[in-house]
Amino acid sequence: MNRCKFIEKFNKLRKSSSNSIDNIQIFDGFRKYMHVIRATEMDLKKILSAVNLSGKKTLVLLCGSAGDGKSHLLSYLKNSDTDHLLDGYSVFNDATESNAPDKTAVETLCKRLEDFNDDNIGKPGSNAIIAINLGVLSNFIESEWALNFSFLRKYVKSSNIMTSEVTNTTYVDNSNFQHISFSDYHMFSMDKGKITPDYIEALFEKIASNDEKNEFYAAYTDDCSVCPLGSQCPIRMNYKFLTDAKVRHYIALMLVKVILKDKEILTTRELLNYIYDIVVAPGFDYAKFYKSSATPSLFLKEFLNCIMPSLLFDNVDISAIMNKTRKYDPLLNRNEAEDDIAIEYYVSDDVTKTVKSIVDESAYSSILCDPSYADIINEDKTVKSKLFNVLIRIRDLMNDNGYEEMFLKYISDLYNYNIGKTPKLASLYSDIEDAVMRWCGNEDDDNICIDDSHKNFAIYEDIKFDPFLDNIPSPSSSEKIEKFLPYVVAEFKNGNDAPIHIDIDYSLYELIEKLKAGYVQTAEDRNNHADFISFISKILKTGSSNESITILSETGQKAKLEKTKFGTYKFEVVK
């Protein structure tokens, strides 16, 4: 037996699978089962309902990036949605799809949208909906082909579709154009200052649930039960491990870290492929593995390499997502307590009790707690070392510890910003002020250093940090939000109309917190945070240097140079 029907089912999740690309004419049972209702779908359906009631010829733009679910949603609405909202629509699954290979993507799009150019927009016709990547849309509206699409171009510009701002996704009255952008939505929501990875967990649940329509679970219970390798198969055990809700939640929270901390774009297609990668070991060969089971030491080594705790963190360059998640390996959480655990394990002559205490309730207990493997585990240094890594990971995967304090603080400020709770952002603005002072250096009166290039003295100025709060999002009527910026925008007045703003992602937030606590920035910080340096440069221009400066000598003497009302300067030694 060289084929594994169970793995064949999982192949449907791979990016290379034909199942990863939706055809708007087909929505089979597998796609229907895997469908998860998202806020994107609900908002789009509201717009479509309003369009259908208006009687106005309308083009609906379904925008986003490759693999985020645009095609899947179109296919679902066209073939399976009971409301039949797309009846009578011209539906284009791919803006660049063409039967004329000699045409460019922009030319193809121009033809697709012909009924909505300036010459035809006022003429009767049917509604249309098109799935379009933001890059293609940007190229189109900036091209010469868009000269005859001035109304569409104006709509795209005014709707901020091409910006990082969260766009309005309600129906626009009396407009021939409507849109939904997948880039405004996330795989998680925020509720009362906490992260809920609902979409990620919903997809995990689809794959792991005991449901008669679930092809994966059916193969697990039927095909695997008659497989000669079934009781020893790491792939089957990986799936069983995934049926543990605590494990799924741990992985989902880790993926949220990858999105917010590492700014990795995680699409539905990438997520499904990731699930395949953490269940099916790369290059897994049924026959080879079956053969290894005849040699216990070889089998254990192969087994430990193929189980999920190893697949999650040991594989390099399998995918961009897996490269990022390796940073969150529980083995990297070094502290005195963890070091003591490692020392006790490695000096012990018999670790079977330790192994049993950690993995007894896991999917891997039948192998790792099998007495027949005890001698190998205790005596084979390679096996013992690899098993330690697995044990620490299983321990954490099955016992969710949530997020670390710094990340929780960031999420709280991110939530308060996006939900419009201005008073709760006061401490963040204070932290930014402290961070700027620490970065530049300050003296007793909290004046900020603007020039320390001189040998015997440094020059300081007074800066009044004046927050500009007018652009903070309006207060939300709901405590749960699903559309939000993944960073905080902080702004300060500069004396003119345009405020000085800084986008605070997690990396910069962490730096600000460290600076506030006394951390001294490094050359690497300066290289990684050019945006913060630019912000500081603009803030310094709002200071008092045109009117007054403080001069501090290396011996501690202090003097002030002030401009008088008569345009002359007054010099005074104050210390």
Side-chain angles (χ1 to χ4, degrees), residues 7 45 89 135 169 178 182 186 260 264 276 285-286 297-298 321 324 330 335 340 353 366 379 384 399 404 465:
I7 292 179
K45 290 176 77 170
Y89 277 69
T169 51
Q178 308 290 335
F182 270 73
H186 302 273
L260 285 179
E264 186 70 31
Y276 171 88
D285 185 291
Y286 174 90
S297 61
L298 177 60
I321 301 298
K324 291 293 194 303
N335 55 54
D340 288 343
K353 287 184 178 180
S366 62
E379 297 171 9
K384 187 175 182 179
N399 295 279
E404 64 275 16
F465 289 86

Side-chain angles (χ1 to χ4, degrees), residues 263-542:
K263 297 193 285 190
E264 186 70 31
I265 297 174
L266 181 60
T267 65
T268 300
R269 192 180 300 169
E270 292 283 354
L271 177 56
L272 293 175
N273 191 80
Y274 176 80
I275 295 173
Y276 171 88
D277 286 335
I278 64 175
V279 173
V280 182
F284 181 79
D285 185 291
Y286 174 90
K288 179 181 177 182
F289 195 85
Y290 186 72
K291 185 178 180 180
S292 74
S293 62
T295 308
S297 61
L298 177 60
F299 168 77
L300 267 183
K301 291 173 185 176
E302 289 291 327
F303 179 83
L304 290 171
N305 285 330
C306 290
I307 59 177
M308 190 181 295
S310 298
L311 299 181
L312 279 166
F313 304 110
D314 286 344
N315 288 322
V316 181
D317 293 337
I318 297 296
S319 69
I321 301 298
M322 294 197 82
N323 283 347
K324 291 293 194 303
T325 55
R326 294 181 75 238
K327 291 170 53 178
Y328 306 107
D329 187 346
L331 291 172
L332 300 178
N333 298 329
R334 298 297 302 273
N335 55 54
E336 188 174 342
E338 292 297 307
D339 288 345
D340 288 343
I341 291 171
I343 292 170
E344 183 180 353
Y345 176 87
Y346 280 109
V347 301
S348 174
D349 293 329
D350 186 357
V351 297
T352 53
K353 287 184 178 180
T354 301
V355 174
K356 184 175 177 61
S357 68
I358 294 175
V359 306
D360 197 35
E361 300 298 322
S362 78
Y364 309 108
S365 61
S366 62
I367 298 296
L368 299 181
C369 295
D370 188 335
S372 64
Y373 294 119
D375 288 344
I376 299 172
I377 289 172
N378 287 318
E379 297 171 9
D380 189 312
K381 292 182 178 180
T382 302
V383 171
K384 187 175 182 179
S385 176
K386 182 69 177 180
L387 180 56
F388 176 77
N389 295 348
V390 166
L391 292 177
I392 297 302
R393 291 162 177 170
I394 289 177
R395 180 201 65 186
D396 281 20
L397 283 162
M398 296 185 69
N399 295 279
D400 171 39
N401 294 318
Y403 294 129
E404 64 275 16
E405 185 177 346
M406 178 78 76
F407 193 55
L408 286 174
K409 190 173 185 297
Y410 174 69
I411 290 170
S412 177
D413 281 334
L414 182 66
Y415 174 78
N416 289 328
Y417 169 75
N418 278 285
I419 207 168
K421 291 189 175 181
T422 302
K424 292 195 173 184
L425 295 173
S427 62
L428 173 60
Y429 274 77
S430 177
D431 290 349
I432 295 170
E433 182 176 344
D434 286 345
V436 172
M437 288 185 175
R438 296 284 185 178
W439 184 281
C440 298
N442 64 303
E443 50 98 24
D444 293 343
D445 294 330
D446 278 341
N447 291 324
I448 293 180
C449 182
I450 57 174
D451 187 355
D452 61 356
S453 61
H454 304 283
K455 184 177 181 181
N456 298 318
F457 64 90
I459 300 173
Y460 295 77
E461 68 173 352
D462 179 47
I463 291 180
K464 304 296 184 186
F465 289 86
D466 195 356
F468 182 87
L469 307 175
D470 293 358
N471 291 333
I472 290 176
S474 302
S476 171
S477 59
S478 172
E479 290 191 312
K480 181 177 181 179
I481 52 174
E482 296 180 281
K483 292 175 58 182
F484 50 87
L485 285 177
Y487 52 85
V488 177
V489 180
E491 295 182 311
F492 292 83
K493 294 179 181 178
N494 72 345
N496 299 315
D497 294 333
I500 304 168
H501 86 274
I502 179 73
D503 296 340
I504 304 175
D505 58 14
Y506 179 77
S507 177
L508 180 54
Y509 187 91
E510 187 177 38
L511 177 63
I512 288 170
E513 290 296 306
K514 287 163 65 178
L515 287 167
K516 184 188 72 169
Y519 172 79
V520 178
Q521 72 270 19
T522 64
E524 184 179 3
D525 294 322
R526 291 189 284 272
N527 289 332
N528 292 338
H529 295 287
D531 51 345
F532 190 51
I533 294 174
S534 175
F535 167 75
I536 291 174
S537 176
K538 293 173 184 176
I539 281 288
L540 293 181
K541 292 178 182 178
T542 69

